[in-house]
Amino acid sequence: MVSQTPRPASTGGSARAWRDALVTVVAGFAAMTAVAAAGLACAGAGDLPEGAFPHVLAAVVVMAAGGSVEVSGDAGLLAGADASLAVLPLSVSLAGALAAGYCFLRPLHHRAVARPRELAGRAVPLVVLWLLALLAAALLARQDFGISTGDPTVAVIGELLDSEPTIGFRADVPATLLFGLLWILGLLLIALLVSRRAPLPAGLVRFHTAVRPAAFATTLLLLSYVVIGVVVGLVVAATRGDAGRTLAVVLLGLPNLVWIALTLGFGGAWEARVEGAFGLPMPQLLDEVLRDADGAPVDVGSFAARDPRAWWLVVVAAVLLLGTGVLTAVRSPAHVRPWQHALHLGTALALATLAVCLLCRIQAEYGLSLLGIGEVDGLGGELVLNPVLWRTVGLGLVWGAVAGFLGGVLARPLHRRGRVDAPAAAPAHD
């Protein structure tokens, strides 16, 4: 009689959690692999020697999933080689995040409240399988390449001394698993914060009004910039030359560009330095402005000095931020006041801007010096892009607060999907 225990249901539930986790991991890595492969093919990586394409593809997926890839150079007795690369291919990251986030949330869209133990029971299998898949990609992400200096004499000396310069990369497995863990946990947290229908533990439901509408609206703002960037990129690819390079930018690093454009639009600034030839694809205007900066802060005025159309970044930012404020208010309960919308959206946009500043930073360099004397022409390059953090995040807070307040005022006459009426009196009987 007492044997009515939930064990079979629990086992089934656990098996279902592992099945759902497997689907989520496969979807996330499949999306990242597909986007990365297309981007690398457009960038010309399909012609890499020694069957290197799968290894380069694995390295891009590892970086996109939060992992760490080390670049190393070696030139034996003949030369010295130094290399480093710290850049996140955010188009690939975003594809994986959207696919994995959707698959994680889909089984949860049936009620408003869930026990912490249940959410943990779904998160733990997903994290375990995600790290195993990331480990497999990290083990594949290693390759060495020989480098031609273009000088026949140097090539002959290199052959005689067995000192042909090489560059290689390999995933740092411990760092990859650590940062990959933070990446997937951050994704799950953001998914729960953004989704209106995902359940929360009972103790956190009271924070729904303050967090979820602003988090959803801010996420939609970032995705809107990506959609606009895709449209612009496709138009440029269709109407101008070098479509492959443009598509490579779209498929590998579009959010890196458009989210920086968002920060420039509301007054943010980035310190930049570009020297020598470097293979990272980027628009010509951006390349020219960064080369002229030489370490100085770059803002929207720097771009407008070369192309006055850059001022449209301010207009687009203002319009979309105002729309974000209205959306935040529309999705919030009707009793929330405009100053509260200002607080909620200002905080959300400041945090999103901080994330953009951390994710869009770039530091990449490679140099080769023969016999330790000077750099070999054409084989050295440096690209550094860092945010002016306090200015950019501070302006994100201010613009978010203004947009939240104005959105709260403008949304008053609109139909309020988030309206919450006074609770009705409990019925005397069922």
Side-chain angles (χ1 to χ4, degrees), residues 271-370:
E271 295 175 344
R273 183 169 64 255
V274 177
E275 297 176 0
F278 205 87
L280 290 179
M282 68 175 70
Q284 182 179 356
L285 175 62
L286 178 61
D287 183 73
E288 292 173 355
V289 172
L290 297 186
R291 288 183 186 280
D292 288 347
D294 195 23
V298 169
D299 57 18
V300 68
S302 307
F303 289 88
R306 282 186 168 271
D307 189 341
R309 290 175 298 178
W311 290 117
W312 280 102
L313 293 177
V314 179
V315 177
V316 172
V319 171
L320 291 184
L321 280 169
L322 183 58
T324 302
V326 172
L327 180 61
T328 300
V330 168
R331 291 180 66 94
S332 299
H335 63 76
V336 180
R337 300 185 181 279
W339 70 265
Q340 292 174 302
H341 291 308
L343 176 62
H344 299 163
L345 187 55
T347 302
L349 187 60
L351 291 175
T353 303
L354 176 61
V356 167
C357 289
L358 296 178
L359 293 175
C360 294
R361 295 188 304 176
I362 299 176
Q363 181 157 4
E365 61 181 326
Y366 178 71
L368 176 67
S369 58
L370 292 176

Side-chain angles (χ1 to χ4, degrees), residues 13-14 59 62 74 76 97 120 133 171 212 216 228 230 246 250-251 254 307 324 401:
S14 175
V62 165
D74 182 25
R212 277 185 163 171
F216 174 83
I228 293 172
V230 169
T246 301
V250 170
L251 290 166
L254 182 64
D307 189 341
T324 302

Side-chain angles (χ1 to χ4, degrees), residues 94-193:
L94 183 60
L98 291 176
Y102 173 78
C103 293
F104 171 70
L105 291 174
R106 193 163 182 270
L108 300 174
H109 284 169
H110 59 279
R111 62 193 187 285
V113 179
R115 295 189 305 272
R117 188 173 178 181
E118 179 188 357
L119 293 177
R122 286 194 167 273
V124 168
L126 173 56
V127 170
V128 170
L129 293 178
W130 186 270
L131 292 181
L132 287 175
L134 187 57
L135 175 62
L139 294 177
L140 181 61
R142 52 183 62 215
Q143 181 75 25
D144 293 309
F145 301 95
I147 301 173
S148 171
T149 63
D151 186 331
T153 305
V154 172
V156 171
I157 297 175
E159 286 179 12
L160 291 175
L161 298 178
D162 193 20
S163 300
E164 181 184 1
T166 62
I167 186 172
F169 64 85
R170 59 202 67 250
D172 182 342
V173 174
T176 291
L177 294 180
L178 173 61
F179 293 122
L181 173 63
L182 297 177
W183 192 96
I184 187 63
L185 290 178
L187 171 62
L188 298 183
L189 176 61
I190 291 172
L192 290 174
L193 289 178

Side-chain angles (χ1 to χ4, degrees), residues 362-383:
I362 299 176
Q363 181 157 4
E365 61 181 326
Y366 178 71
L368 176 67
S369 58
L370 292 176
L371 301 174
I373 307 173
E375 295 282 332
V376 178
D377 291 340
L379 286 179
E382 181 181 28
L383 170 58

